[in-house]
Amino acid sequence: MVNRTLTGAHYGWRDWITQRVTAVILLVYTAMLLIGLVMLPKEYAAWQAFFSHTVVRIFTQVTLIALLLHAWIGIRDMWMDYIKPVGLRLTMHVLTALWLVGCLIYSVKVIWGV
Protein backbone atom coordinates (compact mmCIF):
# COMPACT_ATOMS: atom_id res chain seq x y z
CA MET A 1 0.00 0.00 0.00
CA VAL A 2 1.39 3.39 -1.02
CA ASN A 3 1.06 6.16 1.55
CA ARG A 4 0.15 9.39 -0.30
CA THR A 5 0.94 12.76 1.16
CA LEU A 6 -2.08 15.05 0.73
CA THR A 7 -0.38 18.34 1.52
CA GLY A 8 1.15 20.99 -0.70
CA ALA A 9 -0.03 22.65 -3.85
CA HIS A 10 2.27 20.90 -6.39
CA TYR A 11 0.37 22.30 -9.36
CA GLY A 12 3.24 24.50 -10.44
CA TRP A 13 3.39 25.87 -13.92
CA ARG A 14 -0.32 25.71 -14.86
CA ASP A 15 -1.43 27.59 -11.75
CA TRP A 16 1.40 30.12 -12.07
CA ILE A 17 0.38 30.91 -15.66
CA THR A 18 -3.32 31.03 -14.73
CA GLN A 19 -2.63 33.49 -11.91
CA ARG A 20 -0.63 35.76 -14.25
CA VAL A 21 -3.17 35.64 -17.09
CA THR A 22 -6.10 36.34 -14.77
CA ALA A 23 -4.15 39.19 -13.15
CA VAL A 24 -3.58 40.77 -16.58
CA ILE A 25 -7.30 40.47 -17.40
CA LEU A 26 -8.15 42.13 -14.09
CA LEU A 27 -5.62 44.89 -14.75
CA VAL A 28 -6.97 45.62 -18.24
CA TYR A 29 -10.56 45.70 -16.96
CA THR A 30 -9.59 48.02 -14.10
CA ALA A 31 -7.85 50.34 -16.56
CA MET A 32 -10.98 50.32 -18.75
CA LEU A 33 -13.13 51.27 -15.77
CA LEU A 34 -10.76 54.05 -14.74
CA ILE A 35 -10.76 55.46 -18.27
CA GLY A 36 -14.55 55.23 -18.27
CA LEU A 37 -14.66 57.05 -14.94
CA VAL A 38 -12.68 59.92 -16.44
CA MET A 39 -14.34 59.98 -19.87
CA LEU A 40 -17.99 59.19 -19.20
CA PRO A 41 -20.40 61.70 -17.68
CA LYS A 42 -21.09 61.09 -14.01
CA GLU A 43 -24.72 60.24 -14.67
CA TYR A 44 -26.46 56.93 -14.13
CA ALA A 45 -27.88 56.90 -17.67
CA ALA A 46 -24.40 57.17 -19.22
CA TRP A 47 -23.07 54.27 -17.18
CA GLN A 48 -26.20 52.23 -17.84
CA ALA A 49 -25.74 52.80 -21.59
CA PHE A 50 -22.05 51.88 -21.34
CA PHE A 51 -22.77 48.59 -19.56
CA SER A 52 -25.65 47.75 -21.90
CA HIS A 53 -23.23 47.09 -24.79
CA THR A 54 -22.78 43.37 -25.36
CA VAL A 55 -18.99 43.67 -25.68
CA VAL A 56 -18.75 45.38 -22.29
CA ARG A 57 -21.01 42.76 -20.73
CA ILE A 58 -18.91 39.93 -22.17
CA PHE A 59 -15.68 41.58 -20.98
CA THR A 60 -17.21 42.12 -17.55
CA GLN A 61 -18.29 38.46 -17.33
CA VAL A 62 -14.88 37.23 -18.53
CA THR A 63 -13.23 39.45 -15.92
CA LEU A 64 -15.42 38.09 -13.14
CA ILE A 65 -14.63 34.53 -14.22
CA ALA A 66 -10.93 35.47 -14.18
CA LEU A 67 -11.38 36.91 -10.68
CA LEU A 68 -13.05 33.71 -9.49
CA LEU A 69 -10.28 31.54 -10.99
CA HIS A 70 -7.64 33.80 -9.45
CA ALA A 71 -9.35 33.55 -6.07
CA TRP A 72 -9.79 29.78 -6.33
CA ILE A 73 -6.10 29.16 -6.95
CA GLY A 74 -5.01 31.47 -4.15
CA ILE A 75 -7.46 30.21 -1.55
CA ARG A 76 -7.01 26.56 -2.54
CA ASP A 77 -3.25 26.86 -2.15
CA MET A 78 -3.68 28.60 1.18
CA TRP A 79 -5.95 25.80 2.46
CA MET A 80 -3.47 23.19 1.19
CA ASP A 81 -0.48 24.89 2.79
CA TYR A 82 -1.93 25.79 6.18
CA ILE A 83 -4.73 23.32 7.01
CA LYS A 84 -3.22 19.93 7.72
CA PRO A 85 -6.23 17.76 8.74
CA VAL A 86 -7.48 16.27 5.47
CA GLY A 87 -11.17 16.33 6.42
CA LEU A 88 -11.09 19.99 7.42
CA ARG A 89 -9.13 20.90 4.29
CA LEU A 90 -11.63 19.06 2.07
CA THR A 91 -14.49 20.83 3.82
CA MET A 92 -12.84 24.21 3.25
CA HIS A 93 -12.25 23.36 -0.43
CA VAL A 94 -15.88 22.38 -0.92
CA LEU A 95 -17.20 25.46 0.89
CA THR A 96 -14.89 27.72 -1.12
CA ALA A 97 -15.91 26.09 -4.39
CA LEU A 98 -19.61 26.42 -3.52
CA TRP A 99 -19.15 30.08 -2.60
CA LEU A 100 -17.32 30.83 -5.87
CA VAL A 101 -19.91 28.97 -7.97
CA GLY A 102 -22.62 30.95 -6.19
CA CYS A 103 -20.76 34.16 -7.01
CA LEU A 104 -20.55 33.08 -10.66
CA ILE A 105 -24.28 32.36 -10.84
CA TYR A 106 -25.09 35.69 -9.20
CA SER A 107 -22.74 37.55 -11.58
CA VAL A 108 -24.58 36.07 -14.57
CA LYS A 109 -27.87 37.21 -13.06
CA VAL A 110 -26.56 40.75 -12.48
CA ILE A 111 -24.72 41.22 -15.79
CA TRP A 112 -27.21 39.57 -18.12
CA GLY A 113 -30.41 40.18 -16.17
CA VAL A 114 -31.30 36.47 -16.24
Side-chain angles (χ1 to χ4, degrees):
M1 179 185 223
V2 176
N3 190 9
R4 277 184 59 194
T5 303
L6 297 174
T7 60
H10 303 300
Y11 294 101
W13 183 248
R14 183 189 65 204
D15 288 343
W16 188 87
I17 290 293
T18 304
Q19 285 272 287
R20 275 41 184 194
V21 168
T22 56
V24 168
I25 292 170
L26 294 168
L27 180 66
V28 170
Y29 188 79
T30 302
M32 181 191 78
L33 281 182
L34 289 174
I35 291 168
L37 187 62
V38 171
M39 303 294 275
L40 287 173
K42 308 301 185 261
E43 300 167 354
Y44 176 76
W47 283 92
Q48 187 178 28
F50 177 69
F51 281 102
S52 69
H53 297 303
T54 303
V55 173
V56 175
R57 285 183 176 190
I58 290 171
F59 191 34
T60 301
Q61 190 67 62
V62 167
T63 301
L64 285 169
I65 291 169
L67 176 65
L68 297 174
L69 282 171
H70 195 88
W72 169 249
I73 292 169
I75 296 297
R76 183 203 63 207
D77 287 355
M78 187 180 71
W79 295 150
M80 290 171 68
D81 289 345
Y82 295 108
I83 297 180
K84 299 305 177 194
V86 176
L88 179 59
R89 186 177 341 128
L90 178 62
T91 301
M92 297 307 291
H93 281 158
V94 169
L95 291 174
T96 301
L98 289 173
W99 174 260
L100 293 173
V101 168
C103 289
L104 175 65
I105 292 167
Y106 186 68
S107 75
V108 169
K109 180 181 183 325
V110 169
I111 293 169
W112 300 99
V114 176

